Amino acid sequence: MAIERPTRPAARATGVGELFQLLRDGAPRTRAELASTTGQARSTIAARVELLLAAGLVSATGEAQSTGGRPPATFAFSPEVRVVLAVDLGATHARVALTDLASNVLAVAETAIRMDLGPTHVLGLVCALGDELLAEAGRERSSLVSIGVGIPGPVEFSAGRPINPPIMPGWDGADVPGIVHEHFAVPVLVDNDVNLMALGEHRSSWPDIDDLLFVKVATGIGAGIISDGSLRRGAKGSAGDIGHIAVDGAPAVPCRCGNTGCLEAVAGSEAIAAALAEEGIEVTGSAEIVALVRGGDRAAARAMRRAGRDVGTVLAACVSMVNPSMIVVGGGLAEAGEQLLAGIREVVYKRSLPLATHDLRLVASVAGTDAGILGASALAVDHVLSPQALDERLG
Amino acid sequence: MAIERPTRPAARATGVGELFQLLRDGAPRTRAELASTTGQARSTIAARVELLLAAGLVSATGEAQSTGGRPPATFAFSPEVRVVLAVDLGATHARVALTDLASNVLAVAETAIRMDLGPTHVLGLVCALGDELLAEAGRERSSLVSIGVGIPGPVEFSAGRPINPPIMPGWDGADVPGIVHEHFAVPVLVDNDVNLMALGEHRSSWPDIDDLLFVKVATGIGAGIISDGSLRRGAKGSAGDIGHIAVDGAPAVPCRCGNTGCLEAVAGSEAIAAALAEEGIEVTGSAEIVALVRGGDRAAARAMRRAGRDVGTVLAACVSMVNPSMIVVGGGLAEAGEQLLAGIREVVYKRSLPLATHDLRLVASVAGTDAGILGASALAVDHVLSPQALDERLG
């Protein structure tokens, strides 16, 4: 039996998009240096640098040391000229930011939304907010190059469409890019909110960690997987969907998915609220639970720790499966701090193999509530700066 | 909070290695076509094509249509000139093959080994077998460009060293590449056997499936993960190590890892043999169990189906986690056919979310006992044909 030739294209883009990748690290380079690195003709390089200058992606940064005669000009990536909109949609709120191409936040706003009013209504609000942010930051509409949107449900990434999202009635199969497009004529990228939180946390705080698992613990529980440095979405975009994994040893609590004993059903905020209700404590939502834990309530601390152990049971299997070197815990319940992390650590370090846990770090999210918009920004930026997109736009 | 610049190098190799990637698809091209695709000077291309011809990686394939004057020569990848050794080490046997750079098997041999005699002894045997295979195929030693080795335990991939391999006493931290190097002075790549089975199965039978999970079910149970088209090893090379995940609802059978209820302890061949022993049937090893099942023994079929359900319970979690579009089941117990697969399917389709199972296929390994050597061959070939390795060797 022989192995077929690789079917992925061997030919690389060698146009303006590829040239830009050389400049993306921000270091200034002369035309001569670019010609020598690429092996391409000086005239070809000069023409492509002009395209990048005109697009506002590269600027002249000064002059290199002269070896005699007029010193040659240097060029570098200028991430501050163009902007993207970063949208983080939750069940009841939207957080929208305007960032530059280095994901520096230029303006940010949050607003209450009702997802059940449907995509046209919600995305209309988001676009109006985008216009306000552009005005606030003093940027022209023409400087906007792309939009990233995170939504709280499964997404078919290539099409940008939600698929059977359980908490978003009216959104199944909605053409999110198409609706946003009617307002802003730029590329629109859509992904699951937890994937974007993972991407945002990774890029902003741990860019050198190639294998990272981000876990969101709130009403819903989900994960985003960074493997070999990139976000992995799986075949249908549902990778990291750990909220409905059965928890070994947990009670057979019915879950809204139809199965029993799912992680979300035994360790999400509703499960914690139900446990506290049995002790006569009425709470609603992650924030109230976190406030109780922080206020020193023992029953709440116990419930949180138990939830941590359930999350840890599932994460132990995930650690065996994908072998990350870091687990980052975020989401509303993570704000409770050590009680949740301690429960998770307890089980993960006990149940996973030594090789997988030897150098494993388990930490709370650094980006916190900004993880989602940072990830949406990174998604939007990565798209417009990719060789393919640049070749198409400028080449 | 801003996002740092990407830290991965933006600069691409643009030398002879990169040129070869264009030719790797096997299609014949003229020097002029290569110059036009890369934007590089005709003289640069001509010199690099000479290097590739001299290295035996490319050959002149004929002449293109002339547009007047002498028709230009065409060149293409010639995978049949150079060879690699592909080594698949098991607990008690070694399978070694000589393949060309398209992983066509030119000669193959299998021999009994005792891993407990240590790396120097075992790898000495393997190298001697390599010499015999070269002679059998009528190839010079100088045509050998690299060696791929699969071993039945965890491997620190970058160093090629086994790490605490439970069934390989004397191999912990052994410098496998160094030992093989004393006999064959070519690059030696080492990986876990299941990773290589996944790679071999993927390349030989399902090259267009980007997200594939390969599961080996035998005395040991493990998985190899293909995600976005590439094998993912995780931070320490232990990704896919699912044999010690706790099985939800399984009895607390003690496992050799120190925990209880691990998948391997409840569904590996030893667990099945123990279950059959209770019914008065004495068997040793996967092959005897498979023979019983194939012979129509009801107790064996029941035990196999139960093992399938336990494997399915863990795989359901894996499906939620990595969202493959295909699960391939291989290893000794998979030879039993439908009994094992039916048990796995039963649980996976029940316990995973619809989005993840909608287009999920669950099939038996096609490569079978060749999966390991095909993967070892692919690993060795990928290494020597990479842009970096070619630039280093020829550039």
Side-chain angles (χ1 to χ4, degrees), chain A residues 276-287:
Chain A
L276 292 177
E278 283 183 17
E279 308 204 30
I281 307 167
E282 293 299 329
V283 282
T284 313
S286 303

Side-chain angles (χ1 to χ4, degrees), chain B residues 5 16 28 61 101 133 189 196 261 282 297 313 361 393:
Chain B
R5 291 174 191 129
V16 61
T61 48
L101 301 191
L133 293 173
L189 292 299
L196 293 187
E282 294 299 329
D297 183 278
T313 300
R361 292 168 65 193
R393 213 165 107 228

